Amino acid sequence: MEKLDRANNASKGVISGFVFKIIGVVLPFVIRTVIIKELGAEYLGLSSLFTSILSALNLVELGLGSSMVFSMYQPVAEKDYLKLGALYNFYRLCYRIIGVIILVLGLIVSPLLPYIVKGDFPSDINVYILYWIYLLNTVLSYWLFAYKSSLLQAYQRTDIESKIGIIVNIFFYGSQILVLCIFHNYYIYAIMLPIFTIATNIIRSIIVDKMFRNIKCAGGISREAVKGITTNMVALIGHQISYTVINSVDNIVISAFLGLTILAMYNNYYFILNALNSIIVVIFQAVQAGIGNSIITESKEKNRSDFSKFALLIFMIVAWATICLYTLCQDFILLWVGREYVFGYTTVIYLSICFFITQFRKVVTTYKNAAGYWKKDALKPYIVILVDLLIDIILIPLIGADGALIATIVSMGFVSIPWETWVLFKFLFEESPLKYFVFIIIQAILTGIGCILCNAIIHTIHMAGLMGFIVKGLCCSVIAGIYVLFVNSHNKNMKWIFNLTKNLLNKSSTFPPG
């Protein structure tokens, strides 16, 4: 068995991933600001709506990507390059077929667009042409070498994907900003999406071919292998639908009941949440393949010990981020887009809870996905879908966009998290999850107390404008950091976290020993 250099690969993935995500947060933020100022909030609403519709169409993928990467863990560990090449070839064929299906379904959906947007479209926009541009971008992502990212994931080399993204996105977002400022034309802005999708896929293809010269995209896989992949895909269908409902259907329901302007306002808040999500998710992406390799090559006790350390690290990061989000969110929205785009403070409360729940759920799902335990909670996603949709449809017309956040909190907090945690502990660690549930509850309470205390302290600072926000942000970051360190100082895994931080700051290529 080949043990991947998990620590080195993870550290590379985290560092390059952070740079990539920061670019992917800052420049889109500038673009959103330019669109609001130059064109209007309705254009952002259309963009969010089309993205949500196409995310729903992506369900055609049926979890093939996750299933395929999981199927590669074993041949990667065994250095079985012929089998990897055959899986690779199968993946390419499937993605080309999926691209065709999405194209056909996307065209079928086109006539329904007027029924899922409340109010008028922007007067200078043909909504069908704009939608077809977004559809083309999605289809091209499947047709042009997207399957080659599977090898980077299986070998835990997400740092390569991040480096490609850093270079391409600087040119991509920079070009979009220039187009909006110079031409004030949303069509030119949109047509750049498929152009840069093509560029990204071609660059990835060239790099992957050079990195993995010994893996040829050729050959066929056995019926047994196809059966295993298909079985995992069937189990993943519900999980994929659930993910889409939680992340996409909210926008469609808000658009249908409340209109594009409210959708744009909601997405300004959700943009902040997604910005934090996208930065933290770098850690999960960087370590998942390593966790999969560890599950195959290491003992149950070693994996349980690593899980505890990983959980504490994530909870500390998430607690700090949640406190800052709760304390600074409303001030940031006010400074960014103005008072007319500000929701009530209840939105900030729900957003903070939603962020915290989403992140600590990923600790478990990262391990569960790496272990391939999709069949063991196959019923759960359908319960989640039912709960989320019912709450969306009932609450959004009654209380507005807050209803979407409440739906996510209830479906994740009371269905997904308990169920997934029980599955992981029962089948991988073979122990009761009770101690972990107590750990979660304690962390949630401590984070809530931190939010209240930090918010009370920061809002004694009576400074307005950009300078006021910077001062509040710096003070909040320091206070939240000291608080999180203090309340977790007794934990036995803190020594490992301090050593890890020291090594990363020293640009070491290895994690501290487990």
Side-chain angles (χ1 to χ4, degrees):
M1 289 287 184
E2 179 185 10
K3 295 183 181 180
L4 294 177
D5 189 355
R6 296 189 293 267
N8 190 26
N9 289 341
S11 61
K12 288 179 181 177
V14 168
I15 293 169
S16 60
F18 275 140
V19 176
F20 172 50
K21 292 300 181 181
I22 288 170
I23 291 172
V25 167
V26 174
L27 294 183
F29 164 75
V30 175
I31 288 173
R32 289 183 71 87
T33 305
V34 172
I35 291 174
I36 291 172
K37 303 296 184 183
E38 298 290 335
L39 300 178
E42 294 86 357
Y43 290 85
L44 282 181
L46 274 178
S47 177
S48 300
L49 176 62
F50 293 156
T51 301
S52 297
I53 292 171
L54 293 169
S55 293
L57 293 181
N58 279 332
L59 284 172
V60 173
E61 197 253 2
L62 298 177
L64 173 66
S66 298
S67 179
M68 187 60 67
V69 172
F70 174 73
S71 69
M72 289 180 172
Y73 290 155
Q74 192 74 32
V76 165
E78 296 174 351
K79 297 185 179 181
D80 189 344
Y81 301 128
L82 288 177
K83 185 174 182 180
L84 281 170
L87 288 168
Y88 199 32
N89 193 30
F90 179 73
Y91 195 15
R92 176 177 63 178
L93 174 63
C94 290
Y95 258 36
R96 287 175 177 174
I97 295 171
I98 288 169
V100 173
I101 295 172
I102 289 177
L103 176 61
V104 173
L105 291 177
L107 293 174
I108 292 172
V109 168
S110 298
L112 302 177
L113 291 175
Y115 300 100
I116 54 178
V117 178
K118 183 175 182 179
D120 297 328
F121 306 121
S123 58
D124 60 338
I125 287 293
N126 184 312
V127 70
Y128 298 103
I129 293 176
L130 195 61
Y131 169 74
W132 292 333
I133 293 173
Y134 277 79
L135 175 61
L136 175 65
N137 180 58
T138 300
V139 171
L140 287 175
S141 69
Y142 284 97
W143 283 350
L144 295 176
F145 314 119
Y147 61 93
K148 294 194 176 186
S149 65
S150 62
L151 281 179
L152 296 176
Q153 294 176 56
Y155 275 92
Q156 204 185 358
R157 293 307 308 271
T158 56
D159 61 299
I160 301 298
E161 195 80 56
S162 296
K163 290 170 184 175
I164 295 171
I166 289 168
I167 296 170
V168 173
N169 280 355
I170 288 175
F171 285 100
F172 172 54
Y173 291 125
S175 301
Q176 284 190 319
I177 292 168
L178 286 176
V179 163
L180 288 170
C181 291
I182 295 172
F183 298 104
H184 307 282
N185 189 303
Y186 199 76
Y187 286 117
I188 302 176
Y189 161 83
I191 201 65
M192 297 178 77
L193 288 168
I195 292 173
F196 277 89
T197 292
I198 293 170
T200 301
N201 279 273
I202 290 175
I203 294 170
R204 181 197 295 121
S205 175
I206 294 170
I207 292 174
V208 169
D209 288 346
K210 288 182 178 180
M211 285 182 64
F212 303 101
R213 295 180 187 275
N214 53 346
I215 301 175
K216 305 300 180 183
C217 187
I221 60 177
S222 65
R223 290 185 178 181
E224 183 180 342
V226 172
K227 183 180 178 181
I229 293 169
T230 304
T231 300
N232 284 331
M233 285 175 62
V234 170
L236 273 164
I237 289 173
H239 297 280
Q240 292 293 106
I241 295 173
S242 174
Y243 176 84
T244 300
V245 168
I246 298 242
N247 291 278
S248 302
V249 173
D250 289 349
N251 283 343
I252 297 173
V253 176
I254 290 172
S255 172
F257 284 104
L258 306 177
L260 292 177
T261 300
I262 297 297
L263 176 59
M265 291 174 64
Y266 171 76
N267 274 284
N268 286 339
Y269 282 85
Y270 214 80
F271 177 83
I272 300 171
L273 184 144
N274 277 337
L276 292 172
N277 279 345
S278 65
I279 293 172
I280 297 176
V281 81
V282 169
I283 301 172
F284 297 105
Q285 292 173 340
V287 302
Q288 180 159 316
I291 291 170
N293 184 261
S294 177
I295 289 171
I296 293 172
T297 61
E298 304 285 4
S299 67
K300 175 183 66 178
E301 291 73 21
K302 176 66 165 62
N303 281 295
R304 179 65 179 90
S305 175
D306 288 346
F307 175 83
S308 295
K309 296 168 185 173
F310 182 56
L312 179 63
L313 172 65
I314 295 301
F315 278 120
M316 289 180 66
I317 295 171
V318 170
W320 175 84
T322 303
I323 293 170
C324 292
L325 173 65
Y326 178 83
T327 305
L328 301 172
C329 180
Q330 204 75 321
D331 288 341
F332 179 78
I333 292 289
L334 186 63
L335 179 66
W336 175 26
V337 290
R339 192 170 298 278
E340 65 269 27
Y341 293 105
V342 174
F343 283 137
Y345 210 83
T346 55
T347 301
V348 177
I349 296 172
Y350 294 136
L351 192 75
S352 301
I353 296 172
C354 188
F355 171 74
F356 185 81
I357 287 176
T358 301
Q359 295 308 314
F360 77 65
R361 179 192 173 205
K362 286 178 184 174
V363 175
V364 168
T365 57
T366 299
Y367 267 80
K368 190 173 76 70
N369 291 339
Y373 286 164
W374 303 299
K375 289 194 297 182
K376 299 187 185 301
D377 61 348
L379 180 62
K380 178 218 68 191
Y382 299 102
I383 305 298
V384 170
I385 292 166
L386 180 62
V387 172
D388 192 85
L389 274 176
L390 283 175
I391 297 175
D392 269 348
I393 293 170
I394 292 170
L395 289 187
I396 287 176
L398 290 177
I399 66 173
D402 284 357
L405 294 171
I406 293 172
T408 301
I409 291 167
V410 173
S411 60
M412 280 194 184
F414 294 95
V415 182
S416 293
I417 291 170
W419 204 325
E420 291 162 348
T421 304
W422 176 82
V423 165
L424 180 70
F425 276 75
K426 177 178 174 60
F427 294 101
L428 182 60
F429 302 137
E430 298 178 354
E431 64 178 71
S432 168
L434 182 60
K435 289 183 180 179
Y436 184 69
F437 283 132
V438 171
F439 173 70
I440 289 174
I441 292 169
I442 291 172
Q443 289 291 332
I445 293 171
L446 291 174
T447 302
I449 294 171
C451 287
I452 295 169
L453 291 176
C454 191
N455 187 62
I457 294 170
I458 294 304
H459 284 92
T460 60
I461 301 173
H462 299 295
M463 294 178 66
L466 178 60
M467 184 55 64
F469 181 79
I470 292 172
V471 171
K472 289 178 182 178
L474 291 173
C475 292
C476 180
S477 298
V478 172
I479 293 169
I482 293 172
Y483 174 81
V484 171
L485 286 173
F486 173 76
V487 297
N488 289 287
S489 59
H490 65 284
N491 193 295
K492 64 180 181 181
N493 290 318
M494 281 299 297
K495 181 179 179 181
W496 178 83
I497 290 176
F498 282 131
N499 288 336
L500 170 63
T501 305
K502 180 180 177 181
N503 284 359
L504 286 175
L505 291 174
N506 290 332
K507 298 183 180 180
S508 171
S509 63
T510 58
F511 279 145

